[in-house]
């Protein structure tokens, strides 16, 4: 089969084409696995962290963790899927299923968590395999390419919003307005119709887009918000936005950092961290790690509901 393969860690500035188009043997499903013929696979910022080695992948690896396609073969013990079913695979490829984290619903924190396209081959290929319990059915209302980014940007956005602890009527802030945040704003407006959303983004284009999607106020990362905010979700790869977001939080407010890795280029911003201005009054910082299958499934159901499906 054809696949895009990452063979070594690259600095993108030196090598802007780090993946190699290759012909490799197609995988065969193990007993409890399904084989998926990939129709679409989303592209994620996390892949830059893999390629540049901030989060080293197994090498060589086929990246891609937002894969959608149809089941092409079913292992003898794989349950729940038939040939032709349309399925997706997100960042969670597998977790052990029996540790404390897995048993308490936090399989995203399992020490044996395997990530699709990092620890095992992912969806930048014609075929991939996954164990059946970790594949999700795709609601028919979405096309393949519409569904793919929902599997990561959408699902992790959903997890971030849940971890923010926001309640209807409270003010939500979004710092950075990319693939995940533009889905989170839609989700927040669906789940918390009386909440106000403020968006901090670097480019005017992103700020205009945010206002089109219902942001009540937008500003640059450095602009103070017009009111203090109950919870802020940061999706930037940098540190300065973290420090600035803490200033904008209400007492007792929570900053959720939805980033698998931060880049180091502005790390000196952390030296500006001032305890009374940024952290005192019980402000909290929480990171988001990976996703669970339940995050992906819950978000797909909500996303379908938001566009009026199932009808009636
Ligand atoms: Zn991703
Ligand atoms: Zn586990």
């Amino acid at each position: 089969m054809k696949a895009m393969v990452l063979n070594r860690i690259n600095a993108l500035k030196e090598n802007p084409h780090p993946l190699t188009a290759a012909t490799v043997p197609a995988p065969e499903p193990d007993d409890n696995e399904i084989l998926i013929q990939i129709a679409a696979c989303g592209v994620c910022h996390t892949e830059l962290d893999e390629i540049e080695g901030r989060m080293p992948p197994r090498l060589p690896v086929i990246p891609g963790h937002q894969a959608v396609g149809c089941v092409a073969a079913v292992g003898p013990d794989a349950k729940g899927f038939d040939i032709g079913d349309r399925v997706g695979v997100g960042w969670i490829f597998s977790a052990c299923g029996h540790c404390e984290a897995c048993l308490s619903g936090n399989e995203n924190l399992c020490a044996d968590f395997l990530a699709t396209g990092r620890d095992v081959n992912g969806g930048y290929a014609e075929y991939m395999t996954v164990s059946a319990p970790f594949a999700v059915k795709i609601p028919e209302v979405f096309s393949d390419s519409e569904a793919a980014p929902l599997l990561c940007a959408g699902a992790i956005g959903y997890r971030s919003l849940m971890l923010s602890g926001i309640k209807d009527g409270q003010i939500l802030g979004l710092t950075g307005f990319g693939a995940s945040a533009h889905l989170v704003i839609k989700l927040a407006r669906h789940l918390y119709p009386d909440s106000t959303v403020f968006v901090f983004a670097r480019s005017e284009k992103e700020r205009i887009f945010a206002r089109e999607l219902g942001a009540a106020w937008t500003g640059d990362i450095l602009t103070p918000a017009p009111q203090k905010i109950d919870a802020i979700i940061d999706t930037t790869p940098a540190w300065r936005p973290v420090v600035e977001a803490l200033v904008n939080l209400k007492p007792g407010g929570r900053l959720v950092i939805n980033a698998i890795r931060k880049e180091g280029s502005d790390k000196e911003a952390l030296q500006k961290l001032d305890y009374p201005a940024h952290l005192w009054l019980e402000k909290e910082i929480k990171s988001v790690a990976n996703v669970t299958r339940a995050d992906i499934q819950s978000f797909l159901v909500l996303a379908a509901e938001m566009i009026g499906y199932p009808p009636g």
Side-chain angles (χ1 to χ4, degrees), residues 225-311:
Q227 280 172 270
K228 296 289 183 193
I229 301 173
D230 293 281
I232 299 179
I233 299 171
D234 164 58
T235 50
T236 69
W239 288 108
R240 183 125 192 224
V242 168
V243 176
E244 298 300 329
L246 290 168
V247 177
N248 285 310
L249 276 185
K250 278 185 190 172
R254 179 179 283 182
L255 171 64
V256 175
I257 301 181
N258 174 7
I260 197 156
R261 288 293 180 273
K262 286 281 190 186
E263 291 167 14
S265 56
D266 72 339
K267 216 170 175 180
E268 75 288 344
L270 288 175
Q271 287 173 350
K272 303 245 163 58
L273 205 66
D274 175 57
Y275 184 72
H278 296 112
L279 287 169
W280 195 54
L281 295 174
E282 304 192 347
K283 294 179 187 179
E284 289 179 78
I285 302 179
K286 192 167 184 70
S287 67
V288 184
N290 306 322
V291 285
T292 65
R293 284 171 278 178
D295 294 326
I296 298 175
Q297 276 151 357
S298 303
F299 181 72
L300 286 174
V301 169
L302 281 166
E305 204 179 281
M306 279 151 58
I307 57 169
Y309 181 87

Coordinates of all heavy atoms in Angstrom, one line a residue, residues 225-311:
A225 N -9.0 41.4 28.9 CA -10.5 41.2 28.6 C -11.3 42.3 29.3 O -10.9 42.8 30.3 CB -10.9 39.8 29.1
P226 N -12.5 42.6 28.8 CA -13.3 43.6 29.4 C -13.9 43.2 30.8 O -14.2 44.1 31.6 CB -14.5 43.8 28.4 CG -14.5 42.6 27.5 CD -13.1 42.1 27.5
Q227 N -13.9 41.9 31.0 CA -14.4 41.4 32.3 C -13.5 40.2 32.7 O -13.0 39.6 31.8 CB -15.8 40.9 32.2 CG -16.9 41.9 32.3 CD -18.2 41.1 31.9 OE1 -18.6 41.0 30.8 NE2 -18.9 40.7 33.0
K228 N -13.4 40.0 34.0 CA -12.6 38.8 34.4 C -13.4 37.5 34.0 O -14.7 37.5 33.9 CB -12.4 38.8 35.9 CG -11.5 39.9 36.4 CD -10.0 39.8 35.9 CE -9.2 40.9 36.5 NZ -7.8 41.0 35.8
I229 N -12.7 36.4 33.8 CA -13.2 35.2 33.1 C -13.2 34.1 34.1 O -12.3 33.9 34.9 CB -12.4 34.9 31.9 CG1 -12.4 36.1 30.9 CG2 -12.8 33.7 31.2 CD1 -11.5 36.0 29.7
D230 N -14.3 33.2 34.0 CA -14.4 32.1 34.9 C -13.4 30.9 34.5 O -12.8 30.3 35.4 CB -15.8 31.5 34.9 CG -16.8 32.5 35.5 OD1 -16.9 32.6 36.7 OD2 -17.5 33.2 34.7
A231 N -13.3 30.7 33.3 CA -12.4 29.6 32.8 C -11.9 29.9 31.4 O -12.6 30.5 30.6 CB -13.1 28.3 32.8
I232 N -10.6 29.7 31.2 CA -10.0 29.9 30.0 C -9.3 28.6 29.4 O -8.7 27.9 30.2 CB -8.9 31.0 30.1 CG1 -9.5 32.3 30.6 CG2 -8.2 31.3 28.8 CD1 -8.5 33.5 30.8
I233 N -9.5 28.4 28.2 CA -8.8 27.2 27.5 C -7.8 27.8 26.6 O -8.1 28.6 25.7 CB -9.9 26.4 26.7 CG1 -10.9 25.8 27.7 CG2 -9.1 25.2 26.0 CD1 -12.1 25.1 27.0
D234 N -6.5 27.4 26.8 CA -5.4 27.8 26.0 C -5.0 26.7 25.0 O -4.8 25.6 25.4 CB -4.2 28.1 27.0 CG -2.9 28.2 26.2 OD1 -2.8 29.0 25.3 OD2 -2.0 27.4 26.6
T235 N -5.0 27.0 23.8 CA -4.6 26.1 22.8 C -3.4 26.5 22.0 O -3.1 26.1 20.9 CB -5.7 25.8 21.7 OG1 -6.2 27.0 21.3 CG2 -6.9 25.0 22.4
T236 N -2.6 27.5 22.5 CA -1.5 28.0 21.8 C -0.2 27.1 22.1 O -0.2 26.4 23.1 CB -1.1 29.4 22.3 OG1 -0.6 29.3 23.6 CG2 -2.3 30.3 22.2
P237 N 0.8 27.1 21.3 CA 2.0 26.3 21.6 C 3.0 27.1 22.4 O 4.1 26.7 22.6 CB 2.5 26.1 20.2 CG 2.1 27.2 19.3 CD 0.8 27.7 19.9
A238 N 2.6 28.3 22.9 CA 3.6 29.2 23.5 C 3.3 29.4 25.0 O 2.3 29.0 25.6 CB 3.5 30.5 22.8
W239 N 4.2 30.2 25.7 CA 4.1 30.4 27.2 C 3.5 31.7 27.5 O 2.8 31.9 28.5 CB 5.5 30.3 27.8 CG 5.9 28.9 27.9 CD1 6.9 28.3 27.1 CD2 5.3 27.8 28.7 NE1 7.0 26.9 27.4 CE2 6.0 26.6 28.4 CE3 4.3 27.8 29.6 CZ2 5.7 25.4 29.0 CZ3 4.0 26.6 30.2 CH2 4.7 25.4 29.9
R240 N 3.8 32.8 26.7 CA 3.3 34.1 27.0 C 1.7 34.1 27.2 O 1.2 34.7 28.1 CB 3.7 35.1 26.0 CG 3.3 36.5 26.2 CD 4.5 37.4 26.2 NE 4.1 38.7 26.7 CZ 4.5 39.9 26.2 NH1 5.2 39.9 25.1 NH2 4.1 41.0 26.7
P241 N 1.0 33.4 26.3 CA -0.5 33.4 26.4 C -0.9 32.8 27.8 O -2.0 33.2 28.3 CB -0.9 32.6 25.2 CG 0.2 32.6 24.3 CD 1.4 32.7 25.1
V242 N -0.1 31.9 28.3 CA -0.5 31.3 29.6 C -0.4 32.3 30.7 O -1.4 32.5 31.5 CB 0.5 30.1 29.9 CG1 0.3 29.6 31.3 CG2 0.2 29.0 28.9
V243 N 0.6 33.1 30.7 CA 0.8 34.1 31.7 C -0.3 35.2 31.6 O -0.9 35.6 32.6 CB 2.3 34.7 31.6 CG1 2.4 35.8 32.6 CG2 3.3 33.6 31.8
E244 N -0.5 35.6 30.4 CA -1.5 36.6 30.1 C -2.9 36.1 30.5 O -3.7 36.9 31.1 CB -1.5 37.1 28.6 CG -0.2 37.7 28.2 CD 0.1 38.9 28.9 OE1 -0.8 39.7 29.4 OE2 1.4 39.2 29.1
A245 N -3.2 34.9 30.2 CA -4.5 34.3 30.6 C -4.8 34.4 32.1 O -5.9 34.6 32.5 CB -4.7 32.9 30.0
L246 N -3.7 34.1 32.9 CA -3.9 34.0 34.3 C -4.3 35.4 34.9 O -5.1 35.5 35.8 CB -2.6 33.6 35.0 CG -2.3 32.1 34.7 CD1 -0.8 31.8 35.2 CD2 -3.3 31.2 35.5
V247 N -3.9 36.5 34.2 CA -4.3 37.8 34.7 C -5.8 38.0 34.5 O -6.5 38.7 35.3 CB -3.5 38.9 33.8 CG1 -4.0 40.3 34.2 CG2 -2.0 38.8 34.0
N248 N -6.3 37.4 33.4 CA -7.7 37.6 33.1 C -8.7 36.7 33.8 O -9.9 36.9 33.7 CB -7.9 37.4 31.6 CG -7.4 38.5 30.7 OD1 -7.7 39.7 31.0 ND2 -6.6 38.2 29.7
L249 N -8.2 35.8 34.7 CA -9.1 34.9 35.4 C -9.7 35.6 36.6 O -9.0 36.3 37.3 CB -8.3 33.7 35.9 CG -8.0 32.5 34.9 CD1 -7.4 31.4 35.7 CD2 -9.3 32.0 34.3
K250 N -10.9 35.2 36.9 CA -11.5 35.6 38.2 C -10.9 34.9 39.3 O -10.3 33.8 39.1 CB -13.0 35.1 38.2 CG -14.0 36.0 37.4 CD -15.4 35.5 37.6 CE -16.3 36.2 36.7 NZ -17.7 35.7 36.7
P251 N -11.0 35.3 40.6 CA -10.6 34.5 41.7 C -11.3 33.2 41.6 O -12.5 33.1 41.3 CB -11.1 35.3 42.9 CG -11.2 36.7 42.4 CD -11.6 36.6 41.0
G252 N -10.5 32.1 41.9 CA -11.0 30.8 41.8 C -11.2 30.2 40.4 O -11.7 29.1 40.2
G253 N -10.8 31.0 39.4 CA -10.9 30.6 38.0 C -9.9 29.6 37.6 O -8.9 29.3 38.3
R254 N -10.2 28.9 36.5 CA -9.3 27.8 36.0 C -8.8 28.0 34.6 O -9.6 28.4 33.7 CB -10.1 26.5 36.1 CG -9.3 25.3 35.6 CD -10.1 24.0 35.7 NE -10.3 23.6 37.1 CZ -10.9 22.4 37.4 NH1 -11.5 21.7 36.5 NH2 -11.0 22.1 38.7
L255 N -7.5 27.8 34.5 CA -6.9 27.8 33.1 C -6.7 26.4 32.7 O -6.0 25.7 33.4 CB -5.6 28.6 33.1 CG -4.8 28.5 31.9 CD1 -5.5 29.2 30.7 CD2 -3.4 29.2 32.1
V256 N -7.2 26.0 31.6 CA -7.0 24.7 31.1 C -6.0 24.8 29.9 O -6.3 25.5 28.9 CB -8.3 24.0 30.6 CG1 -8.1 22.7 30.0 CG2 -9.3 23.9 31.8
I257 N -4.9 24.1 30.0 CA -3.9 24.2 28.9 C -4.1 22.9 28.0 O -3.8 21.8 28.4 CB -2.5 24.2 29.4 CG1 -2.3 25.5 30.3 CG2 -1.5 24.2 28.2 CD1 -0.9 25.6 30.8
N258 N -4.7 23.2 26.8 CA -4.9 22.1 25.9 C -3.8 22.0 24.9 O -3.9 22.6 23.8 CB -6.3 22.3 25.2 CG -6.5 21.2 24.1 OD1 -5.7 20.3 24.0 ND2 -7.6 21.4 23.4
A259 N -2.6 21.5 25.3 CA -1.5 21.4 24.4 C -0.7 20.2 24.9 O -0.5 20.0 26.1 CB -0.6 22.6 24.5
I260 N -0.3 19.4 23.9 CA 0.4 18.2 24.3 C 1.9 18.5 24.6 O 2.5 17.9 25.5 CB 0.3 17.1 23.2 CG1 0.7 15.7 23.8 CG2 1.0 17.4 22.0 CD1 0.0 14.6 23.0
R261 N 2.4 19.5 23.9 CA 3.8 20.1 24.2 C 3.7 21.6 24.0 O 3.0 22.0 23.1 CB 4.8 19.4 23.3 CG 5.2 18.0 23.6 CD 5.8 17.8 25.0 NE 6.2 16.4 25.2 CZ 5.3 15.5 25.8 NH1 4.1 15.9 26.1 NH2 5.7 14.3 26.0
K262 N 4.5 22.3 24.8 CA 4.7 23.7 24.5 C 6.1 23.9 23.8 O 7.0 23.2 24.1 CB 4.7 24.5 25.8 CG 3.3 24.7 26.4 CD 2.5 25.7 25.7 CE 1.2 26.1 26.5 NZ 0.4 27.0 25.7
E263 N 6.1 24.8 22.9 CA 7.4 25.1 22.3 C 8.2 26.0 23.2 O 7.7 26.6 24.1 CB 7.2 25.8 20.9 CG 6.6 24.8 19.9 CD 6.0 25.4 18.7 OE1 6.3 26.6 18.4 OE2 5.3 24.7 18.0
G264 N 9.6 26.0 23.1 CA 10.4 26.7 24.1 C 10.8 28.1 23.7 O 11.4 28.8 24.5
S265 N 10.3 28.6 22.6 CA 10.9 29.9 22.1 C 10.6 31.1 23.0 O 11.4 32.0 23.0 CB 10.5 30.1 20.6 OG 9.1 30.1 20.6
D266 N 9.5 31.1 23.7 CA 9.2 32.2 24.6 C 9.1 31.8 26.1 O 8.4 32.4 26.8 CB 7.9 32.9 24.1 CG 6.7 32.1 24.4 OD1 6.8 30.9 24.6 OD2 5.6 32.7 24.5
K267 N 9.9 30.8 26.4 CA 9.8 30.3 27.8 C 10.2 31.3 28.8 O 9.7 31.2 30.0 CB 10.7 29.1 27.9 CG 10.2 28.0 28.8 CD 11.0 26.7 28.7 CE 10.5 25.7 29.7 NZ 11.2 24.5 29.6
E268 N 10.9 32.4 28.4 CA 11.3 33.4 29.4 C 10.1 34.2 29.9 O 10.2 34.8 31.0 CB 12.4 34.3 28.8 CG 11.9 35.4 27.8 CD 11.5 34.8 26.5 OE1 12.0 33.6 26.2 OE2 10.8 35.4 25.7
A269 N 9.0 34.1 29.2 CA 7.7 34.7 29.7 C 7.4 34.2 31.1 O 6.7 35.0 31.9 CB 6.6 34.5 28.7
L270 N 7.7 33.0 31.4 CA 7.4 32.4 32.7 C 8.0 33.2 33.8 O 7.6 33.1 35.0 CB 7.7 30.9 32.7 CG 6.8 30.0 31.9 CD1 7.4 28.6 31.9 CD2 5.4 30.1 32.4
Q271 N 9.2 33.8 33.5 CA 9.9 34.5 34.6 C 9.1 35.8 35.0 O 9.3 36.3 36.1 CB 11.3 34.9 34.1 CG 12.2 33.7 34.1 CD 13.5 34.0 33.5 OE1 13.7 35.1 32.9 NE2 14.4 33.1 33.6
K272 N 8.1 36.1 34.2 CA 7.2 37.3 34.6 C 6.1 36.9 35.5 O 5.3 37.7 35.9 CB 6.6 37.9 33.3 CG 7.6 38.3 32.3 CD 7.6 39.8 32.1 CE 8.8 40.4 31.4 NZ 9.1 39.8 30.1
L273 N 6.0 35.6 35.8 CA 4.9 35.1 36.6 C 5.0 35.7 38.0 O 6.0 35.6 38.7 CB 5.0 33.5 36.7 CG 3.8 32.8 37.0 CD1 2.8 32.9 35.9 CD2 4.1 31.3 37.2
D274 N 3.9 36.4 38.3 CA 3.9 37.1 39.6 C 2.8 36.5 40.5 O 1.6 36.4 40.1 CB 3.5 38.6 39.2 CG 3.4 39.4 40.5 OD1 4.3 39.5 41.3 OD2 2.3 40.0 40.6
Y275 N 3.2 36.0 41.6 CA 2.2 35.2 42.4 C 0.9 35.9 42.7 O -0.2 35.4 42.3 CB 2.9 34.7 43.7 CG 2.0 33.8 44.5 CD1 1.7 32.5 44.0 CD2 1.4 34.2 45.7 CE1 0.8 31.7 44.7 CE2 0.6 33.4 46.4 CZ 0.3 32.1 45.9 OH -0.5 31.3 46.6
P276 N 0.9 37.2 43.2 CA -0.4 37.8 43.5 C -1.2 38.1 42.2 O -2.4 38.0 42.2 CB 0.0 39.1 44.2 CG 1.5 39.2 44.1 CD 2.1 37.9 43.7
A277 N -0.5 38.5 41.1 CA -1.3 38.9 39.9 C -1.8 37.6 39.2 O -2.9 37.7 38.5 CB -0.4 39.7 39.0
H278 N -1.0 36.6 39.2 CA -1.3 35.4 38.3 C -1.9 34.2 38.9 O -2.6 33.4 38.3 CB 0.0 35.0 37.5 CG 0.5 36.1 36.6 ND1 1.7 36.8 36.8 CD2 0.0 36.7 35.5 CE1 1.9 37.7 35.9 NE2 0.9 37.6 35.1
L279 N -1.5 34.0 40.2 CA -1.9 32.7 40.8 C -2.7 32.8 42.1 O -3.6 31.9 42.4 CB -0.7 31.9 41.1 CG 0.0 31.3 39.8 CD1 1.3 30.7 40.2 CD2 -0.9 30.2 39.2
W280 N -2.5 33.9 42.9 CA -3.2 33.9 44.2 C -4.7 34.0 44.0 O -5.2 34.2 42.9 CB -2.6 35.1 45.0 CG -3.0 35.0 46.4 CD1 -2.8 34.0 47.3 CD2 -3.7 36.1 47.1 NE1 -3.3 34.3 48.5 CE2 -3.9 35.5 48.5 CE3 -4.2 37.3 46.8 CZ2 -4.5 36.3 49.5 CZ3 -4.8 38.1 47.8 CH2 -5.0 37.5 49.1
L281 N -5.4 33.9 45.0 CA -6.9 33.9 45.0 C -7.4 32.6 44.3 O -8.4 32.6 43.6 CB -7.5 35.1 44.3 CG -7.3 36.4 45.1 CD1 -7.7 37.6 44.3 CD2 -7.9 36.4 46.5
E282 N -6.7 31.5 44.6 CA -7.1 30.1 44.2 C -7.3 29.9 42.8 O -8.2 29.2 42.3 CB -8.4 29.8 45.1 CG -8.1 29.9 46.6 CD -9.2 29.3 47.4 OE1 -10.3 29.0 47.0 OE2 -8.9 29.2 48.6
K283 N -6.5 30.6 42.0 CA -6.6 30.3 40.5 C -5.9 28.9 40.3 O -5.0 28.6 41.0 CB -5.8 31.4 39.7 CG -6.6 32.7 39.8 CD -5.8 33.8 39.0 CE -6.4 35.2 39.3 NZ -5.6 36.2 38.5
E284 N -6.4 28.2 39.3 CA -5.9 26.9 39.0 C -5.4 26.8 37.6 O -5.9 27.4 36.7 CB -7.1 25.9 39.1 CG -7.7 25.6 40.4 CD -8.8 24.6 40.2 OE1 -8.6 23.4 40.1 OE2 -10.0 25.0 40.2
I285 N -4.5 25.9 37.4 CA -4.0 25.5 36.1 C -4.1 24.0 35.9 O -3.7 23.3 36.8 CB -2.5 25.9 35.9 CG1 -2.3 27.4 36.1 CG2 -2.1 25.6 34.4 CD1 -0.8 27.9 35.9
K286 N -4.7 23.6 34.8 CA -4.9 22.2 34.6 C -4.5 21.9 33.1 O -4.9 22.6 32.3 CB -6.4 21.8 34.8 CG -6.6 20.3 34.9 CD -8.0 20.0 35.4 CE -8.2 18.5 35.6 NZ -7.5 17.9 36.7
S287 N -3.7 20.8 32.9 CA -3.4 20.4 31.6 C -4.4 19.4 31.1 O -5.2 18.8 31.9 CB -2.0 19.9 31.5 OG -1.9 18.7 32.2
V288 N -4.5 19.2 29.8 CA -5.3 18.2 29.2 C -4.4 17.2 28.5 O -3.5 17.5 27.8 CB -6.2 18.8 28.1 CG1 -7.2 17.7 27.5 CG2 -7.0 19.9 28.6
A289 N -4.6 15.9 28.8 CA -3.7 14.9 28.3 C -4.6 13.9 27.5 O -5.5 13.2 28.0 CB -3.0 14.2 29.4
N290 N -4.3 13.7 26.2 CA -4.9 12.7 25.4 C -6.4 12.8 25.4 O -7.0 13.8 25.8 CB -4.4 11.3 25.9 CG -2.9 11.2 25.9 OD1 -2.2 11.7 25.1 ND2 -2.4 10.5 26.9
V291 N -7.0 11.7 24.9 CA -8.5 11.6 25.0 C -8.9 10.2 25.3 O -8.1 9.2 25.1 CB -9.2 12.0 23.6 CG1 -9.1 13.4 23.3 CG2 -8.5 11.2 22.5
T292 N -10.1 10.1 25.8 CA -10.7 8.7 26.0 C -11.6 8.4 24.9 O -12.0 9.3 24.1 CB -11.5 8.7 27.3 OG1 -12.6 9.6 27.2 CG2 -10.7 9.1 28.5
R293 N -12.0 7.1 24.8 CA -13.0 6.8 23.7 C -14.3 7.5 24.0 O -15.0 7.9 23.1 CB -13.2 5.3 23.7 CG -12.1 4.5 23.1 CD -12.3 3.0 23.4 NE -11.8 2.6 24.7 CZ -11.8 1.4 25.2 NH1 -12.4 0.5 24.5 NH2 -11.3 1.2 26.4
A294 N -14.6 7.6 25.3 CA -15.9 8.3 25.6 C -15.9 9.8 25.2 O -16.9 10.3 24.7 CB -16.1 8.2 27.1
D295 N -14.7 10.4 25.2 CA -14.6 11.8 24.7 C -15.0 11.8 23.3 O -15.7 12.7 22.8 CB -13.2 12.4 24.9 CG -12.8 12.6 26.3 OD1 -13.6 12.9 27.2 OD2 -11.6 12.4 26.6
I296 N -14.4 10.9 22.5 CA -14.6 10.9 21.0 C -16.1 10.6 20.8 O -16.7 11.3 20.0 CB -13.7 9.9 20.3 CG1 -12.2 10.2 20.6 CG2 -14.0 9.8 18.9 CD1 -11.2 9.2 20.0
Q297 N -16.6 9.6 21.4 CA -18.0 9.2 21.2 C -19.0 10.3 21.6 O -19.9 10.7 20.8 CB -18.3 7.9 21.9 CG -17.9 6.7 21.0 CD -17.5 5.5 21.9 OE1 -17.5 5.5 23.1 NE2 -17.1 4.4 21.2
S298 N -18.7 10.9 22.7 CA -19.6 12.0 23.2 C -19.6 13.1 22.3 O -20.6 13.7 22.0 CB -19.2 12.4 24.6 OG -19.2 11.4 25.5
F299 N -18.4 13.5 21.8 CA -18.3 14.7 21.0 C -19.0 14.4 19.6 O -19.7 15.3 19.1 CB -16.8 15.1 20.7 CG -16.8 16.3 19.9 CD1 -17.2 17.6 20.3 CD2 -16.4 16.3 18.5 CE1 -17.3 18.7 19.5 CE2 -16.4 17.4 17.7 CZ -16.9 18.6 18.2
L300 N -18.8 13.2 19.1 CA -19.5 12.9 17.8 C -21.0 13.0 17.9 O -21.6 13.6 17.0 CB -19.1 11.5 17.3 CG -17.6 11.4 16.7 CD1 -17.4 9.9 16.4 CD2 -17.4 12.2 15.5
V301 N -21.5 12.5 19.0 CA -23.0 12.6 19.2 C -23.4 14.1 19.3 O -24.4 14.5 18.7 CB -23.4 11.8 20.5 CG1 -24.8 12.1 20.9 CG2 -23.2 10.3 20.2
L302 N -22.7 14.9 20.1 CA -23.0 16.3 20.3 C -22.9 17.1 18.9 O -23.7 17.9 18.6 CB -22.1 16.9 21.3 CG -22.5 16.6 22.7 CD1 -21.3 17.0 23.7 CD2 -23.7 17.4 23.1
A303 N -21.8 16.8 18.2 CA -21.5 17.5 16.9 C -22.7 17.2 16.0 O -23.2 18.1 15.3 CB -20.2 17.0 16.3
A304 N -23.2 15.9 15.9 CA -24.3 15.6 15.1 C -25.5 16.3 15.5 O -26.3 16.9 14.7 CB -24.5 14.1 15.1
E305 N -25.7 16.3 16.8 CA -26.9 17.0 17.4 C -26.9 18.5 17.1 O -27.9 19.1 16.7 CB -26.8 16.9 18.9 CG -28.0 17.0 19.8 CD -27.6 16.7 21.2 OE1 -27.4 15.6 21.6 OE2 -27.5 17.7 22.0
M306 N -25.7 19.1 17.1 CA -25.6 20.6 16.8 C -26.0 20.9 15.4 O -26.4 22.1 15.1 CB -24.1 21.0 17.1 CG -23.8 21.2 18.5 SD -22.1 21.0 19.0 CE -21.2 22.1 18.0
I307 N -25.9 20.0 14.5 CA -26.3 20.3 13.1 C -27.7 19.6 12.8 O -28.1 19.4 11.7 CB -25.3 19.9 12.0 CG1 -24.9 18.4 12.1 CG2 -24.0 20.8 12.2 CD1 -24.1 18.0 10.9
G308 N -28.4 19.3 13.9 CA -29.8 18.8 13.8 C -30.0 17.4 13.4 O -30.9 17.0 12.7
Y309 N -29.1 16.5 13.9 CA -29.2 15.1 13.6 C -29.2 14.3 14.9 O -28.4 14.6 15.7 CB -28.0 14.7 12.7 CG -28.0 13.2 12.3 CD1 -28.7 12.8 11.2 CD2 -27.4 12.3 13.1 CE1 -28.7 11.5 10.8 CE2 -27.4 10.9 12.7 CZ -28.1 10.6 11.6 OH -28.1 9.2 11.2
P310 N -30.0 13.3 15.1 CA -31.0 12.9 14.1 C -32.2 13.8 14.0 O -32.5 14.5 15.0 CB -31.5 11.5 14.7 CG -31.2 11.6 16.2 CD -30.0 12.5 16.3
P311 N -32.8 14.0 12.8 CA -33.9 14.9 12.6 C -35.0 14.7 13.6 O -35.4 13.5 13.8 CB -34.3 14.7 11.2 CG -33.3 13.8 10.5 CD -32.5 13.1 11.6

